[in-house]
Amino acid sequence: MSRFKRGAHVDSRAGFRQEKEDCPVPYGLLKAARKSGQLNLSGRGLTEVPQSVWRLNTDTPQEAQQNLSFGAADRWWEQTDLTKLLLSSNKLQSLSEDVKLLSALVVLDIHDNQLSSLPDSIGDLEQLQKLILRYRWGQHYYSHYLVVSYSSLLKDLSNNHLMDIPESLANLTNLVKLNLSCNKLKSLPPAISQMKNLRMLDCSRNQLESIPPVLAQMESLEQLYLRHNKLHFLPELPCSTLKELHCGNNQIEILKADHLKHLSALSFLELRDNKVKSLPEEITLLQGLERLDLTNNDISSLPCGLGTLPKLKSLTLEGNPLRGIRRDVLTKGTVELLKYLRSRVQDGGSKEEPKTAMTLPSQAKINVHAIKTLKTLDYSEKHEASIPDEVFDAVDDSPVANVNFSKNQLTAVPSRILQLKDTLADINLGFNKLTSIPCSELMPFLIFFIRNNLLISLPMQLEGLTKLRSVILSFNRFKSFPEVLYRISSLETILISNNQVGGIDPVQMKTLNNLSTLDLSNNDIMQVPPELGNCTSLRALMLDGNPFRNPRAAILSKGTDAVLEYLRSRIPT
């Protein structure tokens, strides 16, 4: 006799009777799912998921109510929790909060539905490794999924109309990739910063105007995609792990030192299709940069220091109104362009193209608009021995935060710079002929940029710069590491490459608890002290180009963590 009830509705595709007359899921599928841990309900026209599916792990099956004997294959009490649920190609407009009852789910496929939101309880699915959403755009389907092993997780919420996301998303502690692209997000929720294991965040094609600084707390973030938004500035993220930053197709006009100084681990920076007018000398802070995409901006000149970036392999500049660099140099590719820029570094960029009759007199070269709107006093690349008084007169009563006097012929720090002391934070005196820094000009700088000068020492009074975060001393004439730098506990970045430094004190260096970037490349260091390995705050340590024998190049090529670990292993016990 058939074990199916007479007259029961039978699903022609599955061959199993229904659990209930009004339930579109064959009971046989539920029974099989208890054995296999997998349930495929794709393409069944579901407008909602039956309660029997959500309660599959918790409810006692019908077999338990029947007085039957079971073989080994039918022991319902040995059922497996559901790990894979396929709900694609239905008509679901929402998911029940009861999805949390399927706590063992590893795979959830809900693509090709009509979902506009996700339940908060999806954050309780701690075992979830694969979440698949696919949405139709016109006649095309776009799939977004990735299998991630070892309890890591990709969550893809792209191609929706989301204006916010559940705070419970932060509960997914194993999350490593999050795709929020193609939505209508105007801001990012603080909860994202709690995802300490997140390595990739894609917020492309939204309506973001800024990025909250709280994202800097994402300790593992390596890739950040912000293409096609409404950003006016590069996000200021002190995130030492970030390797790729994609900000193409925004409205970025200005790159400030604050936006660059913490990105010491960055290998790829994409700024194509923006409105960037110039690159600051602080671009040299990005010592790990390998690719820089500046296509279709408003850049008219390049800082010579760009040519000194040791790892830069690709520099794209098409669609910029570049002047001062011969066309044949630009067309020869990245290697020749960087070689050309390096050739101009040592002489302060004196190999400029001949000035034309259109060149304005020096007093007309003061950018008053930059003073008023950007708080920047820029009198760079003039090759003058002093800064004219009219430059300071143009400031009037405007607060100035940034001063750029680089690429001149200054032999002394302009005395009138003292009138800016109340608001000045960053000063660039690079590519001049300074032989000393007088103490009288000291102010509460955040960044002190004095590369490519003739300095041999720094005054001890510099320790009064209690807020100084970055000091750039590359291409000077230091024969020893400036003692005063050990006294400035606020320092986060020290760049002193291409000098004649013979050694460092690792004990004093360890007291700089905030120091994350230390560039000692191309000096005269004969021996790297093993105790330097105890400077665990370092995220970027550059030592190449020195005459020491250990660590070997093979160790250096493995990166900062490997170098520090090697040095610690050499500490005498």
Side-chain angles (χ1 to χ4, degrees), residues 49-69:
V49 180
Q51 192 68 17
S52 56
V53 173
W54 300 133
R55 302 192 62 83
L56 189 65
N57 293 349
T58 57
D59 284 356
T60 303
Q62 289 185 7
E63 302 95 286
Q65 317 299 327
Q66 301 172 359
N67 184 18
L68 298 173
S69 60

Side-chain angles (χ1 to χ4, degrees), residues 29-182:
L29 282 182
L30 299 180
K31 181 178 179 182
R34 291 192 180 98
K35 297 178 184 178
S36 66
Q38 303 183 20
L39 179 57
N40 186 351
L41 299 178
S42 299
R44 292 183 172 273
L46 299 178
T47 56
E48 63 179 0
V49 180
Q51 192 68 17
S52 56
V53 173
W54 300 133
R55 302 192 62 83
L56 189 65
N57 293 349
T58 57
D59 284 356
T60 303
Q62 289 185 7
E63 302 95 286
Q65 317 299 327
Q66 301 172 359
N67 184 18
L68 298 173
S69 60
F70 297 93
D74 292 321
R75 293 175 180 172
W76 58 266
W77 55 89
E78 295 179 354
Q79 72 177 24
T80 300
D81 282 349
L82 198 65
T83 59
K84 184 176 183 180
L85 176 58
L86 308 182
L87 294 169
S88 62
S89 301
N90 283 292
K91 299 178 181 179
L92 303 176
Q93 295 184 352
S94 64
L95 288 183
S96 168
E97 293 286 347
D98 288 337
V99 68
K100 65 184 177 183
L101 298 176
L102 301 178
S103 58
L105 271 186
V106 175
V107 177
L108 177 58
D109 184 350
I110 48 179
H111 82 262
D112 194 16
N113 278 283
Q114 301 171 17
L115 298 171
S116 59
S117 63
L118 292 175
D120 288 339
S121 61
I122 203 167
D124 296 334
L125 301 179
E126 297 182 356
Q127 304 302 314
L128 198 61
Q129 296 180 15
K130 183 176 177 183
L131 175 62
I132 307 172
L133 290 85
R134 184 174 67 175
Y135 289 87
R136 184 163 56 198
W137 189 274
Q139 297 300 314
H140 302 282
Y141 285 93
Y142 297 89
S143 295
H144 302 274
Y145 64 91
L146 181 67
V147 178
V148 190
S149 58
Y150 301 109
S151 297
S152 58
L153 173 64
L154 167 75
K155 178 176 282 292
D156 191 327
L157 305 178
S158 64
N159 289 287
N160 279 284
H161 301 285
L162 298 179
M163 300 186 70
D164 56 18
I165 60 175
E167 291 287 331
S168 62
L169 209 64
N171 298 334
L172 298 174
T173 56
N174 290 324
L175 196 71
V176 296
K177 297 190 177 184
L178 176 59
N179 189 343
L180 297 171
S181 64
C182 302

